PDB file of all heavy atoms in Angstrom:
ATOM      1  N   VAL A 604      50.919  33.384-103.504  1.00 98.00           N
ATOM      2  CA  VAL A 604      51.262  33.422-104.998  1.00 98.00           C
ATOM      3  C   VAL A 604      50.099  32.678-105.691  1.00 98.00           C
ATOM      4  O   VAL A 604      49.797  31.572-105.449  1.00 98.00           O
ATOM      5  CB  VAL A 604      52.479  32.640-105.299  1.00 98.00           C
ATOM      6  CG1 VAL A 604      52.856  32.629-106.786  1.00 98.00           C
ATOM      7  CG2 VAL A 604      53.651  33.250-104.618  1.00 98.00           C
ATOM      8  N   SER A 605      49.255  33.446-106.582  1.00 98.00           N
ATOM      9  CA  SER A 605      48.277  32.909-107.378  1.00 98.00           C
ATOM     10  C   SER A 605      48.668  32.450-108.686  1.00 98.00           C
ATOM     11  O   SER A 605      49.438  33.087-109.276  1.00 98.00           O
ATOM     12  CB  SER A 605      47.076  33.990-107.493  1.00 98.00           C
ATOM     13  OG  SER A 605      45.954  33.359-108.100  1.00 98.00           O
ATOM     14  N   VAL A 606      48.181  31.257-108.982  1.00 95.00           N
ATOM     15  CA  VAL A 606      48.707  30.610-110.370  1.00 95.00           C
ATOM     16  C   VAL A 606      47.720  31.132-111.414  1.00 95.00           C
ATOM     17  O   VAL A 606      46.511  30.717-111.556  1.00 95.00           O
ATOM     18  CB  VAL A 606      48.704  28.998-110.283  1.00 95.00           C
ATOM     19  CG1 VAL A 606      48.863  28.488-111.593  1.00 95.00           C
ATOM     20  CG2 VAL A 606      49.726  28.679-109.289  1.00 95.00           C
ATOM     21  N   SER A 607      48.190  32.082-112.231  1.00 88.00           N
ATOM     22  CA  SER A 607      47.557  32.491-113.509  1.00 88.00           C
ATOM     23  C   SER A 607      46.202  33.155-113.253  1.00 88.00           C
ATOM     24  O   SER A 607      45.291  32.992-114.065  1.00 88.00           O
ATOM     25  CB  SER A 607      47.503  31.400-114.490  1.00 88.00           C
ATOM     26  OG  SER A 607      47.595  31.922-115.877  1.00 88.00           O
ATOM     27  N   ALA A 608      45.915  33.640-112.080  1.00 89.00           N
ATOM     28  CA  ALA A 608      44.539  34.391-111.856  1.00 89.00           C
ATOM     29  C   ALA A 608      44.537  35.627-112.775  1.00 89.00           C
ATOM     30  O   ALA A 608      45.622  36.266-113.146  1.00 89.00           O
ATOM     31  CB  ALA A 608      44.471  34.801-110.370  1.00 89.00           C
ATOM     32  N   ASP A 609      43.368  36.040-113.176  1.00 91.00           N
ATOM     33  CA  ASP A 609      43.254  37.304-114.003  1.00 91.00           C
ATOM     34  C   ASP A 609      43.774  38.422-113.140  1.00 91.00           C
ATOM     35  O   ASP A 609      43.533  38.743-112.094  1.00 91.00           O
ATOM     36  CB  ASP A 609      41.737  37.582-114.300  1.00 91.00           C
ATOM     37  CG  ASP A 609      41.590  38.788-115.148  1.00 91.00           C
ATOM     38  OD1 ASP A 609      41.913  38.805-116.269  1.00 91.00           O
ATOM     39  OD2 ASP A 609      41.173  39.887-114.462  1.00 91.00           O
ATOM     40  N   SER A 610      44.833  39.148-113.779  1.00 94.00           N
ATOM     41  CA  SER A 610      45.491  40.073-113.076  1.00 94.00           C
ATOM     42  C   SER A 610      44.665  41.329-112.760  1.00 94.00           C
ATOM     43  O   SER A 610      44.785  41.881-111.606  1.00 94.00           O
ATOM     44  CB  SER A 610      46.683  40.573-113.897  1.00 94.00           C
ATOM     45  OG  SER A 610      46.223  41.185-115.088  1.00 94.00           O
ATOM     46  N   ASN A 611      43.843  41.837-113.634  1.00 93.00           N
ATOM     47  CA  ASN A 611      42.908  42.951-113.379  1.00 93.00           C
ATOM     48  C   ASN A 611      41.908  42.671-112.288  1.00 93.00           C
ATOM     49  O   ASN A 611      41.691  43.458-111.374  1.00 93.00           O
ATOM     50  CB  ASN A 611      42.243  43.411-114.618  1.00 93.00           C
ATOM     51  CG  ASN A 611      43.182  44.151-115.622  1.00 93.00           C
ATOM     52  OD1 ASN A 611      44.272  44.402-115.226  1.00 93.00           O
ATOM     53  ND2 ASN A 611      42.685  44.174-116.886  1.00 93.00           N
ATOM     54  N   GLY A 612      41.318  41.578-112.410  1.00 93.00           N
ATOM     55  CA  GLY A 612      40.154  41.213-111.361  1.00 93.00           C
ATOM     56  C   GLY A 612      40.835  41.017-110.073  1.00 93.00           C
ATOM     57  O   GLY A 612      40.247  41.614-109.022  1.00 93.00           O
ATOM     58  N   LEU A 613      41.914  40.394-109.845  1.00 96.00           N
ATOM     59  CA  LEU A 613      42.583  40.182-108.584  1.00 96.00           C
ATOM     60  C   LEU A 613      42.981  41.559-107.972  1.00 96.00           C
ATOM     61  O   LEU A 613      42.731  41.832-106.780  1.00 96.00           O
ATOM     62  CB  LEU A 613      43.822  39.302-108.783  1.00 96.00           C
ATOM     63  CG  LEU A 613      44.500  38.893-107.374  1.00 96.00           C
ATOM     64  CD1 LEU A 613      43.536  38.108-106.443  1.00 96.00           C
ATOM     65  CD2 LEU A 613      45.842  38.151-107.651  1.00 96.00           C
ATOM     66  N   ALA A 614      43.670  42.280-108.815  1.00 96.00           N
ATOM     67  CA  ALA A 614      44.161  43.642-108.290  1.00 96.00           C
ATOM     68  C   ALA A 614      42.999  44.574-107.891  1.00 96.00           C
ATOM     69  O   ALA A 614      43.059  45.161-106.765  1.00 96.00           O
ATOM     70  CB  ALA A 614      44.946  44.306-109.364  1.00 96.00           C
ATOM     71  N   GLU A 615      41.949  44.689-108.627  1.00 96.00           N
ATOM     72  CA  GLU A 615      40.798  45.503-108.313  1.00 96.00           C
ATOM     73  C   GLU A 615      40.166  45.117-106.953  1.00 96.00           C
ATOM     74  O   GLU A 615      39.841  45.979-106.236  1.00 96.00           O
ATOM     75  CB  GLU A 615      39.785  45.573-109.446  1.00 96.00           C
ATOM     76  CG  GLU A 615      40.414  46.250-110.745  1.00 96.00           C
ATOM     77  CD  GLU A 615      39.502  46.115-111.899  1.00 96.00           C
ATOM     78  OE1 GLU A 615      38.541  45.487-111.787  1.00 96.00           O
ATOM     79  OE2 GLU A 615      39.959  46.535-113.075  1.00 96.00           O
ATOM     80  N   ASP A 616      40.007  43.845-106.768  1.00 97.00           N
ATOM     81  CA  ASP A 616      39.300  43.393-105.580  1.00 97.00           C
ATOM     82  C   ASP A 616      40.184  43.724-104.315  1.00 97.00           C
ATOM     83  O   ASP A 616      39.742  44.085-103.272  1.00 97.00           O
ATOM     84  CB  ASP A 616      39.115  41.805-105.569  1.00 97.00           C
ATOM     85  CG  ASP A 616      37.820  41.611-106.454  1.00 97.00           C
ATOM     86  OD1 ASP A 616      37.247  42.506-107.022  1.00 97.00           O
ATOM     87  OD2 ASP A 616      37.433  40.423-106.430  1.00 97.00           O
ATOM     88  N   LEU A 617      41.538  43.447-104.437  1.00 98.00           N
ATOM     89  CA  LEU A 617      42.344  43.665-103.415  1.00 98.00           C
ATOM     90  C   LEU A 617      42.668  45.172-103.070  1.00 98.00           C
ATOM     91  O   LEU A 617      42.646  45.678-101.883  1.00 98.00           O
ATOM     92  CB  LEU A 617      43.689  42.954-103.543  1.00 98.00           C
ATOM     93  CG  LEU A 617      43.608  41.454-103.604  1.00 98.00           C
ATOM     94  CD1 LEU A 617      44.973  40.715-103.717  1.00 98.00           C
ATOM     95  CD2 LEU A 617      42.981  40.912-102.299  1.00 98.00           C
ATOM     96  N   VAL A 618      42.787  45.968-104.101  1.00 98.00           N
ATOM     97  CA  VAL A 618      42.931  47.430-103.949  1.00 98.00           C
ATOM     98  C   VAL A 618      41.722  48.007-103.249  1.00 98.00           C
ATOM     99  O   VAL A 618      41.790  48.898-102.396  1.00 98.00           O
ATOM    100  CB  VAL A 618      43.244  48.105-105.257  1.00 98.00           C
ATOM    101  CG1 VAL A 618      43.232  49.688-105.043  1.00 98.00           C
ATOM    102  CG2 VAL A 618      44.631  47.745-105.808  1.00 98.00           C
ATOM    103  N   GLU A 619      40.554  47.599-103.682  1.00 97.00           N
ATOM    104  CA  GLU A 619      39.231  48.081-103.085  1.00 97.00           C
ATOM    105  C   GLU A 619      39.128  47.786-101.632  1.00 97.00           C
ATOM    106  O   GLU A 619      38.661  48.571-100.790  1.00 97.00           O
ATOM    107  CB  GLU A 619      38.109  47.521-103.880  1.00 97.00           C
ATOM    108  CG  GLU A 619      36.742  48.066-103.452  1.00 97.00           C
ATOM    109  CD  GLU A 619      35.587  47.392-104.170  1.00 97.00           C
ATOM    110  OE1 GLU A 619      35.808  46.869-105.267  1.00 97.00           O
ATOM    111  OE2 GLU A 619      34.390  47.637-103.720  1.00 97.00           O
ATOM    112  N   ALA A 620      39.766  46.590-101.185  1.00 97.00           N
ATOM    113  CA  ALA A 620      39.656  46.206 -99.844  1.00 97.00           C
ATOM    114  C   ALA A 620      40.565  47.057 -98.975  1.00 97.00           C
ATOM    115  O   ALA A 620      40.350  47.182 -97.836  1.00 97.00           O
ATOM    116  CB  ALA A 620      40.097  44.678 -99.813  1.00 97.00           C
ATOM    117  N   GLY A 621      41.715  47.545 -99.525  1.00 96.00           N
ATOM    118  CA  GLY A 621      42.612  48.388 -98.771  1.00 96.00           C
ATOM    119  C   GLY A 621      44.035  48.156 -99.102  1.00 96.00           C
ATOM    120  O   GLY A 621      44.328  46.899 -99.408  1.00 96.00           O
ATOM    121  N   ARG A 622      44.901  49.027 -98.746  1.00 96.00           N
ATOM    122  CA  ARG A 622      46.301  48.977 -99.143  1.00 96.00           C
ATOM    123  C   ARG A 622      46.991  47.567 -98.489  1.00 96.00           C
ATOM    124  O   ARG A 622      47.743  46.883 -99.219  1.00 96.00           O
ATOM    125  CB  ARG A 622      47.111  50.159 -98.717  1.00 96.00           C
ATOM    126  CG  ARG A 622      48.556  50.140 -99.017  1.00 96.00           C
ATOM    127  CD  ARG A 622      49.365  51.291 -98.511  1.00 96.00           C
ATOM    128  NE  ARG A 622      50.684  51.317 -98.744  1.00 96.00           N
ATOM    129  CZ  ARG A 622      51.247  51.901 -99.769  1.00 96.00           C
ATOM    130  NH1 ARG A 622      50.444  52.680-100.664  1.00 96.00           N
ATOM    131  NH2 ARG A 622      52.503  51.893-100.060  1.00 96.00           N
ATOM    132  N   ARG A 623      46.669  47.349 -97.320  1.00 97.00           N
ATOM    133  CA  ARG A 623      47.330  46.156 -96.704  1.00 97.00           C
ATOM    134  C   ARG A 623      47.025  44.811 -97.319  1.00 97.00           C
ATOM    135  O   ARG A 623      47.761  43.858 -97.205  1.00 97.00           O
ATOM    136  CB  ARG A 623      46.962  46.090 -95.230  1.00 97.00           C
ATOM    137  CG  ARG A 623      45.620  45.592 -94.796  1.00 97.00           C
ATOM    138  CD  ARG A 623      45.425  45.636 -93.257  1.00 97.00           C
ATOM    139  NE  ARG A 623      44.118  45.164 -92.833  1.00 97.00           N
ATOM    140  CZ  ARG A 623      43.909  43.925 -92.498  1.00 97.00           C
ATOM    141  NH1 ARG A 623      44.812  43.077 -92.388  1.00 97.00           N
ATOM    142  NH2 ARG A 623      42.696  43.567 -92.057  1.00 97.00           N
ATOM    143  N   TYR A 624      45.878  44.727 -98.074  1.00 98.00           N
ATOM    144  CA  TYR A 624      45.589  43.568 -98.736  1.00 98.00           C
ATOM    145  C   TYR A 624      46.281  43.347 -99.944  1.00 98.00           C
ATOM    146  O   TYR A 624      46.298  42.187-100.500  1.00 98.00           O
ATOM    147  CB  TYR A 624      44.053  43.556 -99.025  1.00 98.00           C
ATOM    148  CG  TYR A 624      43.091  43.678 -97.739  1.00 98.00           C
ATOM    149  CD1 TYR A 624      42.624  44.855 -97.320  1.00 98.00           C
ATOM    150  CD2 TYR A 624      42.831  42.417 -97.090  1.00 98.00           C
ATOM    151  CE1 TYR A 624      41.852  44.878 -96.138  1.00 98.00           C
ATOM    152  CE2 TYR A 624      42.079  42.476 -95.931  1.00 98.00           C
ATOM    153  CZ  TYR A 624      41.662  43.761 -95.462  1.00 98.00           C
ATOM    154  OH  TYR A 624      40.867  43.803 -94.377  1.00 98.00           O
ATOM    155  N   THR A 625      47.018  44.365-100.513  1.00 98.00           N
ATOM    156  CA  THR A 625      47.842  44.152-101.717  1.00 98.00           C
ATOM    157  C   THR A 625      49.262  43.704-101.335  1.00 98.00           C
ATOM    158  O   THR A 625      49.948  43.411-102.192  1.00 98.00           O
ATOM    159  CB  THR A 625      47.973  45.476-102.449  1.00 98.00           C
ATOM    160  OG1 THR A 625      48.648  46.369-101.747  1.00 98.00           O
ATOM    161  CG2 THR A 625      46.580  45.989-102.827  1.00 98.00           C
ATOM    162  N   GLU A 626      49.579  43.670 -99.969  1.00 98.00           N
ATOM    163  CA  GLU A 626      50.961  43.272 -99.641  1.00 98.00           C
ATOM    164  C   GLU A 626      51.252  41.719 -99.640  1.00 98.00           C
ATOM    165  O   GLU A 626      50.329  40.936 -99.343  1.00 98.00           O
ATOM    166  CB  GLU A 626      51.212  43.717 -98.132  1.00 98.00           C
ATOM    167  CG  GLU A 626      51.168  45.285 -98.180  1.00 98.00           C
ATOM    168  CD  GLU A 626      51.164  45.776 -96.639  1.00 98.00           C
ATOM    169  OE1 GLU A 626      51.192  44.986 -95.751  1.00 98.00           O
ATOM    170  OE2 GLU A 626      51.263  47.047 -96.365  1.00 98.00           O
ATOM    171  N   LYS A 627      52.403  41.436-100.139  1.00 98.00           N
ATOM    172  CA  LYS A 627      52.933  40.052-100.280  1.00 98.00           C
ATOM    173  C   LYS A 627      51.914  39.161-101.054  1.00 98.00           C
ATOM    174  O   LYS A 627      51.530  38.086-100.730  1.00 98.00           O
ATOM    175  CB  LYS A 627      53.129  39.491 -98.916  1.00 98.00           C
ATOM    176  CG  LYS A 627      54.158  40.200 -97.988  1.00 98.00           C
ATOM    177  CD  LYS A 627      54.599  39.357 -96.867  1.00 98.00           C
ATOM    178  CE  LYS A 627      53.611  39.071 -95.895  1.00 98.00           C
ATOM    179  NZ  LYS A 627      54.304  38.283 -94.649  1.00 98.00           N
ATOM    180  N   VAL A 628      51.649  39.744-102.324  1.00 98.00           N
ATOM    181  CA  VAL A 628      50.721  39.015-103.277  1.00 98.00           C
ATOM    182  C   VAL A 628      51.416  38.996-104.569  1.00 98.00           C
ATOM    183  O   VAL A 628      51.694  40.082-105.177  1.00 98.00           O
ATOM    184  CB  VAL A 628      49.318  39.682-103.369  1.00 98.00           C
ATOM    185  CG1 VAL A 628      48.531  38.837-104.426  1.00 98.00           C
ATOM    186  CG2 VAL A 628      48.574  39.648-102.061  1.00 98.00           C
ATOM    187  N   ALA A 629      51.679  37.849-105.131  1.00 98.00           N
ATOM    188  CA  ALA A 629      52.298  37.724-106.440  1.00 98.00           C
ATOM    189  C   ALA A 629      51.436  36.767-107.286  1.00 98.00           C
ATOM    190  O   ALA A 629      50.631  35.983-106.744  1.00 98.00           O
ATOM    191  CB  ALA A 629      53.658  37.196-106.327  1.00 98.00           C
ATOM    192  N   ILE A 630      51.614  36.781-108.647  1.00 98.00           N
ATOM    193  CA  ILE A 630      50.941  35.815-109.498  1.00 98.00           C
ATOM    194  C   ILE A 630      51.988  35.312-110.474  1.00 98.00           C
ATOM    195  O   ILE A 630      52.950  36.015-110.911  1.00 98.00           O
ATOM    196  CB  ILE A 630      49.778  36.412-110.321  1.00 98.00           C
ATOM    197  CG1 ILE A 630      50.163  37.756-110.976  1.00 98.00           C
ATOM    198  CG2 ILE A 630      48.594  36.625-109.291  1.00 98.00           C
ATOM    199  CD1 ILE A 630      49.040  38.401-111.741  1.00 98.00           C
ATOM    200  N   THR A 631      51.751  34.055-110.874  1.00 98.00           N
ATOM    201  CA  THR A 631      52.562  33.532-112.108  1.00 98.00           C
ATOM    202  C   THR A 631      51.670  33.774-113.381  1.00 98.00           C
ATOM    203  O   THR A 631      50.430  33.760-113.262  1.00 98.00           O
ATOM    204  CB  THR A 631      52.782  32.014-111.969  1.00 98.00           C
ATOM    205  OG1 THR A 631      51.585  31.285-111.959  1.00 98.00           O
ATOM    206  CG2 THR A 631      53.649  31.787-110.790  1.00 98.00           C
ATOM    207  N   GLN A 632      52.251  34.160-114.409  1.00 96.00           N
ATOM    208  CA  GLN A 632      51.545  34.359-115.636  1.00 96.00           C
ATOM    209  C   GLN A 632      52.273  33.820-116.881  1.00 96.00           C
ATOM    210  O   GLN A 632      53.464  33.401-116.856  1.00 96.00           O
ATOM    211  CB  GLN A 632      51.413  35.833-115.942  1.00 96.00           C
ATOM    212  CG  GLN A 632      50.513  36.614-114.927  1.00 96.00           C
ATOM    213  CD  GLN A 632      49.068  36.188-115.118  1.00 96.00           C
ATOM    214  OE1 GLN A 632      48.685  35.472-116.049  1.00 96.00           O
ATOM    215  NE2 GLN A 632      48.126  36.698-114.329  1.00 96.00           N
ATOM    216  N   VAL A 633      51.547  33.535-117.955  1.00 95.00           N
ATOM    217  CA  VAL A 633      52.084  32.934-119.142  1.00 95.00           C
ATOM    218  C   VAL A 633      52.383  34.031-120.265  1.00 95.00           C
ATOM    219  O   VAL A 633      52.633  33.747-121.383  1.00 95.00           O
ATOM    220  CB  VAL A 633      51.020  31.922-119.695  1.00 95.00           C
ATOM    221  CG1 VAL A 633      50.861  30.774-118.775  1.00 95.00           C
ATOM    222  CG2 VAL A 633      49.789  32.675-120.139  1.00 95.00           C
ATOM    223  N   VAL A 634      52.370  35.342-119.771  1.00 95.00           N
ATOM    224  CA  VAL A 634      52.717  36.481-120.615  1.00 95.00           C
ATOM    225  C   VAL A 634      53.502  37.469-119.857  1.00 95.00           C
ATOM    226  O   VAL A 634      53.516  37.442-118.598  1.00 95.00           O
ATOM    227  CB  VAL A 634      51.505  37.227-121.209  1.00 95.00           C
ATOM    228  CG1 VAL A 634      50.675  36.242-122.196  1.00 95.00           C
ATOM    229  CG2 VAL A 634      50.484  37.627-119.965  1.00 95.00           C
ATOM    230  N   PRO A 635      54.187  38.321-120.453  1.00 94.00           N
ATOM    231  CA  PRO A 635      54.937  39.389-119.786  1.00 94.00           C
ATOM    232  C   PRO A 635      53.970  40.472-119.224  1.00 94.00           C
ATOM    233  O   PRO A 635      52.770  40.446-119.584  1.00 94.00           O
ATOM    234  CB  PRO A 635      55.816  40.171-120.878  1.00 94.00           C
ATOM    235  CG  PRO A 635      55.737  39.172-122.028  1.00 94.00           C
ATOM    236  CD  PRO A 635      54.480  38.402-121.989  1.00 94.00           C
ATOM    237  N   VAL A 636      54.477  41.269-118.278  1.00 93.00           N
ATOM    238  CA  VAL A 636      53.726  42.371-117.763  1.00 93.00           C
ATOM    239  C   VAL A 636      53.231  43.276-119.030  1.00 93.00           C
ATOM    240  O   VAL A 636      53.995  43.567-119.908  1.00 93.00           O
ATOM    241  CB  VAL A 636      54.467  43.202-116.763  1.00 93.00           C
ATOM    242  CG1 VAL A 636      53.844  44.560-116.543  1.00 93.00           C
ATOM    243  CG2 VAL A 636      54.704  42.382-115.549  1.00 93.00           C
ATOM    244  N   PRO A 637      51.906  43.746-118.930  1.00 91.00           N
ATOM    245  CA  PRO A 637      51.486  44.418-120.068  1.00 91.00           C
ATOM    246  C   PRO A 637      52.081  45.773-120.487  1.00 91.00           C
ATOM    247  O   PRO A 637      51.684  46.313-121.580  1.00 91.00           O
ATOM    248  CB  PRO A 637      49.983  44.552-119.772  1.00 91.00           C
ATOM    249  CG  PRO A 637      49.655  43.528-118.858  1.00 91.00           C
ATOM    250  CD  PRO A 637      50.854  43.377-118.027  1.00 91.00           C
ATOM    251  N   ASN A 638      52.911  46.305-119.675  1.00 85.00           N
ATOM    252  CA  ASN A 638      53.689  47.492-120.150  1.00 85.00           C
ATOM    253  C   ASN A 638      55.047  47.207-120.528  1.00 85.00           C
ATOM    254  O   ASN A 638      55.922  48.053-120.612  1.00 85.00           O
ATOM    255  CB  ASN A 638      53.649  48.693-119.096  1.00 85.00           C
ATOM    256  CG  ASN A 638      54.456  48.344-117.908  1.00 85.00           C
ATOM    257  OD1 ASN A 638      54.842  47.322-117.625  1.00 85.00           O
ATOM    258  ND2 ASN A 638      54.719  49.476-117.100  1.00 85.00           N
ATOM    259  N   SER A 639      55.365  45.911-120.867  1.00 89.00           N
ATOM    260  CA  SER A 639      56.684  45.522-121.376  1.00 89.00           C
ATOM    261  C   SER A 639      56.932  46.262-122.568  1.00 89.00           C
ATOM    262  O   SER A 639      56.012  46.586-123.382  1.00 89.00           O
ATOM    263  CB  SER A 639      56.619  43.974-121.584  1.00 89.00           C
ATOM    264  OG  SER A 639      57.731  43.586-122.367  1.00 89.00           O
ATOM    265  N   PRO A 640      58.278  46.574-122.726  1.00 89.00           N
ATOM    266  CA  PRO A 640      58.578  47.280-124.070  1.00 89.00           C
ATOM    267  C   PRO A 640      58.789  46.186-125.324  1.00 89.00           C
ATOM    268  O   PRO A 640      59.145  46.817-126.284  1.00 89.00           O
ATOM    269  CB  PRO A 640      59.983  47.896-123.620  1.00 89.00           C
ATOM    270  CG  PRO A 640      60.557  46.987-122.682  1.00 89.00           C
ATOM    271  CD  PRO A 640      59.382  46.474-121.789  1.00 89.00           C
ATOM    272  N   SER A 641      58.506  45.063-125.060  1.00 90.00           N
ATOM    273  CA  SER A 641      58.640  44.122-126.158  1.00 90.00           C
ATOM    274  C   SER A 641      57.748  44.509-127.374  1.00 90.00           C
ATOM    275  O   SER A 641      56.623  45.021-127.059  1.00 90.00           O
ATOM    276  CB  SER A 641      58.356  42.737-125.646  1.00 90.00           C
ATOM    277  OG  SER A 641      56.980  42.552-125.356  1.00 90.00           O
ATOM    278  N   PRO A 642      58.205  44.257-128.536  1.00 92.00           N
ATOM    279  CA  PRO A 642      57.378  44.689-129.731  1.00 92.00           C
ATOM    280  C   PRO A 642      55.963  44.195-129.689  1.00 92.00           C
ATOM    281  O   PRO A 642      55.090  45.016-130.065  1.00 92.00           O
ATOM    282  CB  PRO A 642      58.231  44.055-130.897  1.00 92.00           C
ATOM    283  CG  PRO A 642      59.598  43.992-130.399  1.00 92.00           C
ATOM    284  CD  PRO A 642      59.461  43.592-128.952  1.00 92.00           C
ATOM    285  N   ALA A 643      55.736  42.962-129.381  1.00 93.00           N
ATOM    286  CA  ALA A 643      54.364  42.380-129.538  1.00 93.00           C
ATOM    287  C   ALA A 643      53.479  43.034-128.443  1.00 93.00           C
ATOM    288  O   ALA A 643      52.311  43.393-128.715  1.00 93.00           O
ATOM    289  CB  ALA A 643      54.467  40.827-129.275  1.00 93.00           C
ATOM    290  N   VAL A 644      54.034  43.235-127.239  1.00 94.00           N
ATOM    291  CA  VAL A 644      53.207  43.801-126.225  1.00 94.00           C
ATOM    292  C   VAL A 644      52.950  45.296-126.564  1.00 94.00           C
ATOM    293  O   VAL A 644      51.845  45.821-126.222  1.00 94.00           O
ATOM    294  CB  VAL A 644      53.879  43.710-124.856  1.00 94.00           C
ATOM    295  CG1 VAL A 644      52.937  44.260-123.758  1.00 94.00           C
ATOM    296  CG2 VAL A 644      54.137  42.315-124.498  1.00 94.00           C
ATOM    297  N   ALA A 645      53.836  45.996-127.202  1.00 95.00           N
ATOM    298  CA  ALA A 645      53.566  47.340-127.561  1.00 95.00           C
ATOM    299  C   ALA A 645      52.493  47.460-128.540  1.00 95.00           C
ATOM    300  O   ALA A 645      51.541  48.212-128.612  1.00 95.00           O
ATOM    301  CB  ALA A 645      54.899  48.015-128.297  1.00 95.00           C
ATOM    302  N   ARG A 646      52.488  46.476-129.494  1.00 96.00           N
ATOM    303  CA  ARG A 646      51.448  46.352-130.581  1.00 96.00           C
ATOM    304  C   ARG A 646      50.069  46.018-129.954  1.00 96.00           C
ATOM    305  O   ARG A 646      49.006  46.573-130.293  1.00 96.00           O
ATOM    306  CB  ARG A 646      51.715  45.318-131.644  1.00 96.00           C
ATOM    307  CG  ARG A 646      52.902  45.661-132.526  1.00 96.00           C
ATOM    308  CD  ARG A 646      52.930  44.843-133.795  1.00 96.00           C
ATOM    309  NE  ARG A 646      52.955  43.403-133.480  1.00 96.00           N
ATOM    310  CZ  ARG A 646      54.082  42.695-133.314  1.00 96.00           C
ATOM    311  NH1 ARG A 646      55.260  43.283-133.351  1.00 96.00           N
ATOM    312  NH2 ARG A 646      54.071  41.319-133.103  1.00 96.00           N
ATOM    313  N   TYR A 647      50.117  45.147-128.956  1.00 97.00           N
ATOM    314  CA  TYR A 647      48.940  44.832-128.218  1.00 97.00           C
ATOM    315  C   TYR A 647      48.268  46.079-127.495  1.00 97.00           C
ATOM    316  O   TYR A 647      47.090  46.284-127.629  1.00 97.00           O
ATOM    317  CB  TYR A 647      49.296  43.834-127.060  1.00 97.00           C
ATOM    318  CG  TYR A 647      48.483  43.729-125.899  1.00 97.00           C
ATOM    319  CD1 TYR A 647      47.166  43.141-125.951  1.00 97.00           C
ATOM    320  CD2 TYR A 647      48.908  44.227-124.678  1.00 97.00           C
ATOM    321  CE1 TYR A 647      46.390  43.209-124.767  1.00 97.00           C
ATOM    322  CE2 TYR A 647      48.230  44.324-123.517  1.00 97.00           C
ATOM    323  CZ  TYR A 647      46.864  43.676-123.536  1.00 97.00           C
ATOM    324  OH  TYR A 647      46.118  43.669-122.467  1.00 97.00           O
ATOM    325  N   ARG A 648      49.106  46.878-126.828  1.00 96.00           N
ATOM    326  CA  ARG A 648      48.614  48.065-126.158  1.00 96.00           C
ATOM    327  C   ARG A 648      47.908  49.016-127.214  1.00 96.00           C
ATOM    328  O   ARG A 648      46.867  49.570-126.980  1.00 96.00           O
ATOM    329  CB  ARG A 648      49.701  48.824-125.416  1.00 96.00           C
ATOM    330  CG  ARG A 648      50.114  47.978-124.302  1.00 96.00           C
ATOM    331  CD  ARG A 648      51.021  48.955-123.393  1.00 96.00           C
ATOM    332  NE  ARG A 648      52.083  49.402-124.077  1.00 96.00           N
ATOM    333  CZ  ARG A 648      53.491  48.899-124.047  1.00 96.00           C
ATOM    334  NH1 ARG A 648      53.680  47.637-123.456  1.00 96.00           N
ATOM    335  NH2 ARG A 648      54.515  49.416-124.663  1.00 96.00           N
ATOM    336  N   GLU A 649      48.582  49.210-128.455  1.00 96.00           N
ATOM    337  CA  GLU A 649      47.994  49.969-129.358  1.00 96.00           C
ATOM    338  C   GLU A 649      46.705  49.503-129.886  1.00 96.00           C
ATOM    339  O   GLU A 649      45.679  50.220-130.145  1.00 96.00           O
ATOM    340  CB  GLU A 649      48.975  50.133-130.642  1.00 96.00           C
ATOM    341  CG  GLU A 649      50.346  50.853-130.211  1.00 96.00           C
ATOM    342  CD  GLU A 649      51.344  50.673-131.313  1.00 96.00           C
ATOM    343  OE1 GLU A 649      51.091  50.059-132.418  1.00 96.00           O
ATOM    344  OE2 GLU A 649      52.392  51.224-131.159  1.00 96.00           O
ATOM    345  N   ALA A 650      46.572  48.143-130.190  1.00 96.00           N
ATOM    346  CA  ALA A 650      45.328  47.505-130.685  1.00 96.00           C
ATOM    347  C   ALA A 650      44.348  47.670-129.639  1.00 96.00           C
ATOM    348  O   ALA A 650      43.126  47.958-129.938  1.00 96.00           O
ATOM    349  CB  ALA A 650      45.641  46.144-131.014  1.00 96.00           C
TER     350      ALA A 650
END
């Protein structure tokens, strides 16, 4: 479990390494997942 690591950077490095490297990896974050249906996140995606 990584504390607030950049989600894109972490995912890209592990996916590039191979599927097994993405297993059993979680992160804590101070924001919802970016495809959340919440109004603010929807506006963020549009912007």
